[in-house]
Amino acid sequence: MSKRLQIDYIHIKDVKFGDRTALDHGVLTIDKQELLDMAGSELFGKLDIKLARPGENCRILGIHDIMQPRCKADAPETSYPGIWGKLAPVGEGRTVALKGVVVSDIYYAKCNVKYYLDMGGECARYTNFSRHFHVILDAEPAEGVSDLSYAEALKYASLTINVRLAKLGIGETPDETKTYQLGPVGPGPDGKPLPRVAYHVVHMASHDTWNFLMYGQSALNFLPIVVQPTEILDGAMIWRYWEPNYFLQEEIYIKELMERHGKDIDFAGVVFSNNVMKIDGKDTMGMIAATLCKETLKADCVIVNKSGMGHCQLDQALAFNWEEKMGMRCVMNLSAVSNDRPGDMLVIADPRIDAVINSGRNYDLHHPRVERLIGEGTNVPSLLGVDAKGPFTHTTNFAYQGIWSQLGDCYVTTDADLPYSK
């Protein structure tokens, strides 16, 4: 686990359309036609590039994926390898990231979970993504195109724009640099070895469009594996469902564990497994993952996390019990499973699971009327029958993008260094 990853962040202060694509003193100018030409595909029936600004009186509908522009500084063509770029191992070297701007996708295929967010007004403070400028890929599928083909084309086009914008920062002086590396650690202040902590995360991979890719390979039928933490931060893995990949790029648990490595813990590494749909398969995957934590990573304790819904809660629970059975202390993160009443979204009830973090919660938000809708042609199932321009009141769960992430991000703390627009 010795890879050294350096991420150089360029802070973006403004984004606008212009006659060329350029970055000058934090101002990102975009040649709209250039990006349309780069993103074009015969699989799209309609295609547009739109901008949204922090504080704008605007609501974005059907916002599917959100990513920070990033690329490998020395070999941009290997960014997001096997998915968009050429196959090469990532997780080391120098990566350039544009901070304060995101590339967002509007998703038109059928899906029972779709999100929206407000860029301004009283509800904007409930999403970390209202703090960012959005470069929005608004692409509808052509007639007869399958959901899977459309999803693949949408992600490829989005990553094309992503890397094009990130490359502008390669020669710039970074405003902020983060370095991540694991190495040998000494004993703690008391002279005893620091506790070895493994991170086990279950990601959803149930069918083609609810899946994730590792170096371009579908996780369907994957067995649990050990990966370098920096690989996850550096684009080796891409989700293919409603959870924004921004939360993988800035994976909150991995970053925190790496920053505390050698201080009060010895971060042993990451095991990830994919969600399976049958109970016996879940139990088997949990046992294999626990064995990797115990025998390969030599962990004393494990943090178990997940992205996905109830099925992934069950995967977590079975893994938790295996890890405890093998002598490792375990704690589980569950996002927004309960508000003031227990069990709102909790599908597990096992007294042996006695250490649970509940990160995030749901709110009933009153949405005022807005002047502009983006993605008006896509439906958000939870808003059916509602005038999406407002006003309306809605519960944020599985609807409001950026209020919390399945992995534990919360709008209160994520991007806390970026101000909300007044």
Side-chain angles (χ1 to χ4, degrees), residues 283-301:
D283 209 23
T284 301
M285 295 299 175
M287 183 194 71
I288 295 172
T291 301
L292 289 174
C293 291
K294 180 69 174 180
E295 303 299 338
T296 303
L297 298 183
K298 309 297 183 184
D300 301 310
C301 45

Side-chain angles (χ1 to χ4, degrees), residues 51 109 116 179 181 186-187 277 382 397:
L51 300 181
Y116 68 95
T179 302
Q181 185 176 21
M277 305 305 288
S382 62
N397 173 48

Side-chain angles (χ1 to χ4, degrees), residues 131-244:
R131 310 182 199 201
H132 301 254
F133 294 91
H134 287 249
V135 179
I136 300 169
L137 178 63
D138 190 354
E140 298 183 29
E143 187 175 352
V145 173
S146 70
D147 288 354
L148 177 58
S149 295
Y150 167 62
E152 289 176 340
L154 187 67
K155 189 74 267 154
Y156 190 87
S158 179
L159 291 175
T160 299
I161 294 172
N162 186 297
V163 175
R164 172 68 180 101
L165 299 181
K167 286 169 65 176
L168 298 170
I170 291 177
E172 298 289 313
T173 301
D175 297 292
E176 177 186 359
T177 294
K178 293 284 188 180
T179 302
Y180 299 99
Q181 185 176 21
L182 297 183
V185 300
D190 59 0
K192 298 180 180 179
L194 294 173
R196 283 183 63 80
V197 181
Y199 180 52
H200 172 209
V201 56
V202 180
H203 290 289
M204 175 171 278
S206 59
H207 54 280
D208 283 338
T209 52
W210 284 15
N211 193 4
F212 66 94
L213 307 176
M214 188 68 179
Y215 287 106
Q217 299 304 303
S218 165
L220 293 172
N221 302 316
F222 261 30
L223 291 173
I225 62 172
V226 174
V227 297
Q228 293 267 2
T230 54
E231 289 180 286
I232 305 302
L233 300 179
D234 204 26
M237 179 179 171
I238 291 289
W239 281 323
R240 187 189 280 165
Y241 54 100
W242 68 89
E243 187 89 324

Side-chain angles (χ1 to χ4, degrees), residues 310-331:
H311 266 285
C312 292
Q313 282 190 40
L314 296 177
D315 290 276
Q316 273 184 297
L318 292 166
F320 183 108
N321 286 336
W322 277 110
E323 284 149 357
E324 290 264 338
K325 186 184 297 184
M326 293 183 186
M328 296 172 285
R329 299 299 300 271
C330 202
V331 64

